[in-house]
Amino acid sequence: MSSGPGADSAPAHNLPDDNTTTAAPSEGRGTFASLRVRNYRLFFAGAIVSNTGTWMARITQDWLVLSLTGSAAAVGITSALQFLPMLLFGLYGGVLVDRFPKRLLLLASQGALGLCGLALAVLTLSAHVQVWHVYLVAFLLGMVTVVDNPARQSFVSEMVGKGQLANAVSLNSANFQSARLVGPAVAGALIASIGSGWAFLVNGLSFLAPLAALLLMRPAELHRVERAPRAKGQLREGLRYVAGRPELIWPIALVGFVGTFGFNFPIWLTAFADEVYHVGAGTYGFLNTLMAAGSLVGALLAARRGGSRLRMLVGAAMVFGALEIAAAVAPAFWLFALLLVPIGMIGLTVNVSANSSVQMATDPVMRGRVMSLYMMVFMGGTPVGAPLVGWVTDTYGARVGFATGGAVSLVAAAVIGLVLARAGGLRLRFELRHGHPHVHFVQRERLTTAA
């Protein structure tokens, strides 16, 4: 039972230092601590299977559209159609998630995602598939995701509780990145050996795993969360809730900038592989694998930390932008490839830190609406940012395009970091320690006393 709006929010004056610190209890620490919870263990196992199927479908979908049209623009349209519903209707999905039991919503949404995969499998295997079929299924997948994404994000806290939330969020990311390493390889083998339709079929059937996991859960062991009753103005209420809390609005804004401008790797890696280093498709796949490996390491390290602070989020976003700029000007292919590993690792740290910080600072009764806004900003920016970044890359070259994305991420993190410091009553302090400069935040009161 919630004790009122903001009951789980840290006070704003502690923002840049210790707010949203989400350490697990001493008896629950460890990289895989949240897997001790039976319901989450079932959820995690089901997600491994369905995430692998999802990555298989992503690769197969792009390949199918390219083979049907011969147009890279058509592939871009497919991706835009899949992300567009989150941008248009994401907030309404959050209202539904706060109003209905999340486990039941997930049973419906996961079933619908499986049916979409099976429909595309039938069309492809029967040789009746046309590009508009793929467009339609991509849009339907996006519509289901409007509810599925905030439901999955907010359901984690009901499975593991507040003490294990940061760890579970990190393990979810590790789960997704593990599937990213396996799914594309399996999809490539299936496409080459027996055709695209069978890859879609495997994806559709993979959703039986999360459905079984949800059905096998023990509802009595879920953490009780107050549901929002049906009422007018719930969407506006959610927006006002976020707008009035710096600990929510600024991390979401930062994720928006980084997600919109800093995460356009399909555009940049394709351009670098083809235009800068003149390597083949196999090497392009290798670059993606390096980034996925870095992301997996980042997720496991985040799970081991078991906590998240806004200063870590801001610092990671600044390092992420700087690494992208460094990769953009890398003179040799081997250096560019090596930099993709820390880029993947730090990029995942940004995502996990923002996700867990926002969830921990949100009252449970508002969590669906807040997470829908988070996902709308993070994923919904793709239809906006990708064409802009793509135009810069096409017009001025891959290096300028990549550096632009990194620069926007770096500047956004620096500005938001200063805003959070000001909101928390902090100032930058410069000191010499053992002959080396050191920069850190201190309370204004402390500076006044010292003076």
Side-chain angles (χ1 to χ4, degrees):
M1 180 74 69
S2 169
S3 57
D8 292 323
S9 300
H13 62 271
N14 287 331
L15 284 177
D17 187 25
D18 290 325
N19 95 301
T20 62
T21 300
T22 56
S26 59
E27 68 271 13
R29 290 178 180 171
T31 304
F32 303 101
S34 53
L35 288 177
R36 299 184 187 122
V37 180
R38 179 183 181 275
N39 284 341
Y40 180 71
R41 193 162 59 245
L42 288 169
F43 180 86
F44 186 88
I48 289 177
V49 179
S50 65
N51 282 338
T52 302
T54 297
W55 276 109
M56 291 174 59
R58 286 188 181 185
I59 299 299
T60 308
Q61 175 183 273
D62 291 348
W63 182 263
L64 176 62
V65 170
L66 193 62
S67 64
L68 289 172
T69 65
S71 169
V75 177
I77 291 172
T78 308
S79 297
L81 286 171
Q82 195 159 334
F83 287 110
L84 188 61
M86 182 62 71
L87 179 63
L88 298 178
F89 310 113
L91 292 176
Y92 295 97
V95 172
L96 292 175
V97 169
D98 281 336
R99 189 179 295 168
F100 297 102
K102 298 174 183 61
R103 179 167 165 266
L104 296 181
L105 285 176
L106 284 171
L107 283 168
S109 63
Q110 292 288 297
L113 292 172
L115 289 175
C116 287
L118 292 175
L120 205 50
V122 170
L123 288 168
T124 307
L125 290 172
S126 64
H128 289 100
V129 68
Q130 299 179 37
V131 69
W132 72 267
H133 293 144
V134 186
Y135 287 164
L136 177 60
V137 171
F139 184 77
L140 291 175
L141 286 170
M143 289 297 295
V144 177
T145 301
V146 166
V147 174
D148 184 76
N149 251 325
R152 278 189 297 107
Q153 297 286 337
S154 53
F155 188 54
V156 174
S157 64
E158 294 189 21
M159 288 184 287
V160 303
K162 187 172 182 177
Q164 300 283 12
L165 179 57
N167 178 262
V169 168
S170 301
L171 288 182
N172 281 350
S173 297
N175 188 321
F176 190 72
Q177 297 303 328
S178 299
R180 184 180 174 187
L181 291 173
V182 177
V186 176
L190 287 177
I191 293 170
S193 58
I194 54 179
S196 299
W198 295 101
F200 288 130
L201 180 61
V202 172
N203 172 53
L205 294 176
S206 73
F207 286 93
L208 291 174
L211 288 173
L214 290 165
L215 291 171
L216 289 171
M217 286 183 183
R218 297 170 182 163
E221 296 179 6
L222 295 173
H223 292 254
R224 184 178 176 84
V225 173
E226 180 183 354
R227 293 202 299 271
R230 184 182 180 89
K232 291 183 178 180
Q234 288 180 317
L235 183 59
R236 291 192 299 273
E237 181 187 13
L239 292 174
R240 285 196 300 268
Y241 179 85
V242 173
R245 287 164 173 78
E247 67 269 31
L248 295 178
I249 192 169
W250 291 114
I252 291 175
L254 178 54
V255 163
F257 279 106
V258 174
T260 300
F261 297 100
F263 273 77
N264 292 286
F265 297 110
I267 296 172
W268 295 322
L269 295 187
T270 303
F272 268 84
D274 183 47
E275 301 171 11
V276 178
Y277 296 116
H278 308 292
V279 295
T283 305
Y284 168 69
F286 173 67
L287 295 178
N288 279 278
T289 300
L290 287 175
M291 182 164 290
S295 299
L296 178 58
V297 172
L300 293 175
L301 289 175
R304 185 174 182 83
R305 282 194 302 270
S308 178
R309 295 182 176 183
L310 284 181
R311 64 185 181 187
M312 178 185 295
L313 168 61
V314 172
M318 293 179 68
V319 173
F320 176 77
L323 284 171
E324 287 197 332
I325 294 172
V329 299
F333 172 79
W334 65 267
L335 181 57
F336 175 82
L338 286 177
L339 283 171
L340 293 180
V341 177
I343 287 174
M345 183 173 68
I346 302 300
L348 199 283
T349 301
V350 172
N351 192 0
V352 169
S353 298
N355 190 311
S356 57
S357 295
V358 168
Q359 290 212 48
M360 291 299 296
T362 302
D363 190 284
V365 76
M366 302 292 296
R367 191 165 282 143
R369 278 165 284 182
V370 173
M371 293 312 297
S372 69
L373 177 63
Y374 175 90
M375 297 306 299
M376 185 188 76
V377 171
F378 183 59
M379 297 174 57
T382 300
V384 177
L388 289 174
V389 171
W391 176 81
V392 172
T393 302
D394 287 341
T395 305
Y396 300 103
R399 293 188 184 276
V400 174
F402 203 0
T404 300
V408 172
S409 300
L410 177 60
V411 171
V415 171
I416 289 174
L418 291 174
V419 170
L420 287 172
R422 185 177 181 83
L426 304 184
R427 292 180 59 184
L428 281 175
R429 186 168 189 170
F430 298 85
E431 296 178 338
L432 282 176
R433 295 184 181 178
H434 306 293
H436 299 287
H438 182 78
V439 183
H440 62 119
F441 286 109
V442 296
Q443 293 286 347
R444 285 196 178 92
E445 292 80 1
R446 190 182 305 166
L447 285 176
T448 303
T449 302

